[in-house]
Structures are given as structure tokens and as C-alpha cells.
Amino acid sequence: NIKDFKKGFDCTGFIHGMMYYLGYNSYIKRFNTYSLYKKLLRDKDYKLIYQSNISSIKNFDLSQLKVGDIVMWPSGIRDAKNLPNVSTFGHIGVVSNIKNNIPYITHFVRSDAYNNLDIFENKGPGINTLKAETFITLKQRGVLNIFRKKNHV
């Protein structure tokens, strides 16, 4: 039942499911975003290509994003703005497409707040895709970490 499936599903579950589907058997167990970050740091197939302790889009050139990059954003009580030197993990998505040099990020969200930004016609809570710049600048969220599969061309 799809309703039951979505009941406990979140952004981290979406990334875990995607990685497990791609053959990474160690990703069957669910984690929160911080635990997934730690797991990706230990994963021999992935490398951390960007890390920030502040939430600022100015620190990363979006043209460097590649399909498959896993992007983590900060979150916290200060409306998704991190305190200096404190990594508060909040949301996660994946670069799913690059069209006309514009990267798009797909994520899972249980909210209708992104409906008018979603590039696909099927609107509603769940899987959502939008321009990376739009999502990253939303609420000045910024970028916290970006992981890329090693040997990614």
C-alpha cells in the first residue's frame, strides 16, 4: 500500500532507497541525515567534494554539480541557518538532471510548500524536483556538504 509506504518516509529514506536500489546493500538500514553523512564519509565509493560550516550559496559554484551528487543542507532553530562551526544537518537530495547547464535537485518532502516550484506536472507532497539554485537559496538554506561517487566522469 503506497499510503503506508509514505507514512514513515522522509528525505533520508529517499536517498537510502535510491542507493539500495542502485546496489549499495549497506544502505538498507535507515539513518537520520547526520548518520548518513557519517556513513558517506566512510564509504569507499564516495568522496566529500564540498563542506561548509556556514550556510552560504556564495561558497559553492553550482556549475560544478554533477548528476548523482548527494547534497546536504543545514537546518536548525535559526530557520535553516547554521551557527559558525556547528554543523546542524537538516535536509538531503540528489542532483538528478542537468539541462542547459542548469542542475536540478530531486528530494522527498512531506509538504505542499514546494508544489509551485516543482518542474513536473504531478504536484503534491513526495518526490519533488526543482532548480538547484532555487532550492539552495530558499530560506537562505545554503549548502552544507556535497558527496560524489568516486570515478564519476
Side-chain angles (χ1 to χ4, degrees):
N1 184 329
I2 190 72
K3 220 173 189 179
D4 291 339
F5 169 73
K6 287 174 73 175
K7 195 182 237 179
F9 204 62
D10 60 10
C11 60
T12 310
F14 169 65
I15 298 299
H16 274 103
M18 177 190 72
M19 293 182 78
Y20 184 71
Y21 177 78
L22 291 172
Y24 292 92
N25 293 334
S26 65
Y27 286 86
I28 192 169
K29 182 180 175 189
R30 289 281 305 276
F31 301 90
N32 61 30
T33 309
Y34 179 71
S35 296
L36 181 57
Y37 162 77
K38 296 298 255 183
K39 187 164 183 60
L40 284 165
L41 281 178
R42 293 187 305 269
D43 192 322
K44 64 181 177 19
D45 292 327
Y46 279 84
K47 62 184 173 184
L48 181 65
I49 65 162
Y50 177 82
Q51 183 167 19
S52 175
N53 286 328
I54 57 170
S55 57
S56 173
I57 192 171
K58 296 173 187 166
N59 294 341
F60 186 78
D61 179 4
L62 292 173
S63 68
Q64 294 181 37
L65 289 173
K66 295 185 178 186
V67 171
D69 285 355
I70 297 171
V71 184
M72 295 179 171
W73 295 275
S75 186
I77 57 173
R78 294 184 56 190
D79 194 23
K81 294 179 184 174
N82 277 0
L83 298 170
N85 302 316
V86 178
S87 295
T88 307
F89 293 80
H91 197 54
I92 187 168
V94 63
V95 178
S96 57
N97 193 5
I98 297 178
K99 187 175 181 181
N100 299 325
N101 295 321
I102 298 171
Y104 289 84
I105 291 178
T106 299
H107 64 117
F108 184 92
V109 62
R110 296 176 66 176
S111 166
D112 290 323
Y114 298 90
N115 285 354
N116 63 330
L117 302 172
D118 195 345
I119 65 168
F120 292 108
E121 293 178 16
N122 188 12
K123 308 291 185 192
I127 294 176
N128 187 283
T129 300
L130 57 157
K131 290 181 181 178
E133 183 176 20
T134 302
F135 188 76
I136 291 168
T137 57
L138 205 63
K139 296 184 180 180
Q140 296 87 44
R141 190 176 286 273
V143 174
L144 190 61
N145 299 289
I146 300 173
F147 286 90
R148 179 170 294 155
K149 188 171 182 183
K150 291 179 180 175
N151 304 322
H152 189 291
V153 181

